Amino acid sequence: MSLASLESSRTEAAQAVSLSGLSKAYGPIEALAPLSLTVAAGETVAILGPSGSGKTTLLLLLSGQLGPSSGAVTLVGREIAQLSPGKELAQLVGMIHQQFDLVPNISALHNVLAGRLGEWGLFKSLVSLVWPQDRPMGMEALARVGVADRAELRAGRLSGGEQQRVAIARLLLQDPAIVLADEPVASLDQARAGEVIRLLVRIARDSGKTLISSMHSVELARAHFDRLIGLRNGIVQFDLPSSQVADDMLLALYDIKGLRRED
Amino acid sequence: MKIRPLEGRRLLTIILVAAFAWSLFNVDWGSGLVNTGGLRAAGHIASSILRPDLSLDVLDKAIRASWTTVAYAVAGLTLALAIGFPLGVLGSGVLFRSSWLRRFNVAGTRLVLAFFRSIHELVWAWLFVVAFGLSPLAAVLALGIPYGGILGRIYSELLQDVPEAPLRALRSAGASEWRVFWFGRLPMALPDMLSYTFYRLECGIRSAAILSFVGLGGLGFQIRISLDDLAYGRVWTFLFFLIALVSLVDVWSSMVRRRITA
């Protein structure tokens, strides 16, 4: 099976994400005020805001790793609370983290193929420990993110930029409809960060995936994403196409005054 | 009076130190413990370190005895692995999502492991020699059972202590706990598990030498015979072979470890 056939096998829905009155509180602290919005399939969205503004909370709610205090998340027409964790959820939504989260002492290829673990039976998984299964698919994904020559190296020996590329390749094999990224390039240097974001956005566009990423660099977000959402103290400040976000809105978003003390 | 945790810990430290000090006064340091001719014997033993018996006959015995000792150690450790790995995985509880099942399993497995390792290999050896006579089987069982208990205990802890984030990433890619175990947990714990297993092989060689004092053959048996003959030169020959074996395992272990982690 090739990557291309994998991607075409999933149907697109017009609405990838729909939030209705979604909120989250940790004890007395409201991390996210009730929020309703929709994201169209294939849209690329960057979430901006100072640290502690609720970006990560929102992403964790979207990925189903965190339950909301109120409201609901609907992904491609299915409510997240009704989905079984594991394979079913993994087909809808996949996530990339700031720290890449690869298994450091197996090869880059094995890490990429781990994206197929939800699909493989246990026997196939075990055989794959010795003879990597679906190898052509894994190599194709590594080539697409530009690190095919690193396939046999242990993931822990790769540079930060290479590790994040491998994590993206793993997501290609998982092939979810929606890709979430939590500050995916915050631990990379500027040049590397630009390359990886360009790659991530291009891959999402090419394969018609919906991309929602929290970003810590405003410039990268404005340059590469369709739509920007500004969060501050858990409240949405703006939600606009990138071209309509003005400088003073961003200044107000990151203004120190009025930020929560626990941030 | 209510004791807060920190105060409680300090109190415990004071009690333990006091108990230790008190015990010093309760040991009979008197004449009974000391062998008055011992100093001369010690001198003999020390001076023969420079004159080990290197006659062909003794070297031949030493090589054969070393081989027996290594064979016992390796066979014992193989049995220990067969016991320790599955029980270690079970005892780590990482394969169970339901917390009730996990707790039941962890507690049960830990109890078995504790039983295996709380009895010293020498005691196991006595028991098995009574049961099977002076046979190699007795030696292998005597080594394998307590070592299996130790390996299982350490494995279960190493498997629990791997970083969570990569495992979370695998789960969010749809992997079940079994797959997370084989593709995340085990690979991450493996270098430490291996290096501890090699350390245990080292201990196994020393233990096998001691076990052979019981009469099972091997370096320890030869050392005891030589001691009975007051042939300290020969004792040292056998001891040097023992040191060489342990060093060899050490070198081998660091070679393997370098390949795994580099």
Side-chain angles (χ1 to χ4, degrees), chain A residues 65 86-87 90 101-106 114 117-118 120-122 125-126 129 154 157 170 174, chain B residues 97 165-166 168-175 178-179 182-184 187-188 191 259-262:
Chain A
Q65 291 178 54
K87 192 177 160 184
D101 295 348
L102 302 177
V103 179
N105 32 19
I106 60 178
L117 283 175
W120 288 345
L122 186 58
S125 305
L126 289 181
L129 279 174
R154 271 179 246 277
R157 303 187 67 184
R170 176 167 67 188
Q174 184 187 333
Chain B
R97 280 235 169 121
R168 250 199 321 269
L170 291 181
R171 276 185 211 116
S172 77
W178 261 107
R179 294 168 180 80
W182 287 106
F183 279 80
M188 286 197 280
R259 266 191 40 208
I260 286 273
T261 49

Side-chain angles (χ1 to χ4, degrees), chain A residues 99-112 142 150-167 170, chain B residues 163 166 183-184 187-188 191 259-262:
Chain A
Q99 292 306 328
F100 329 130
D101 295 348
L102 302 177
V103 179
N105 32 19
I106 60 178
S107 70
L109 180 64
H110 265 117
N111 267 288
V112 171
L142 280 169
R150 296 284 191 268
E152 307 292 338
L153 285 180
R154 271 179 246 277
R157 303 187 67 184
L158 305 180
S159 72
E162 288 168 339
Q163 289 194 34
Q164 195 58 299
R165 284 163 190 267
V166 172
R170 176 167 67 188
Chain B
F183 279 80
M188 286 197 280
R259 266 191 40 208
I260 286 273
T261 49

Side-chain angles (χ1 to χ4, degrees), chain B residues 5-23:
Chain B
L6 195 64
E7 288 168 1
R9 226 178 299 161
R10 281 187 196 143
L11 200 62
L12 185 65
T13 310
I14 292 169
I15 291 171
L16 288 176
V17 169
F20 172 68
W22 180 74
S23 73

Side-chain angles (χ1 to χ4, degrees), chain B residues 126-137:
Chain B
W126 279 328
L127 294 176
F128 285 121
V129 166
V130 170
F132 302 116
L134 284 174
S135 79
L137 181 66

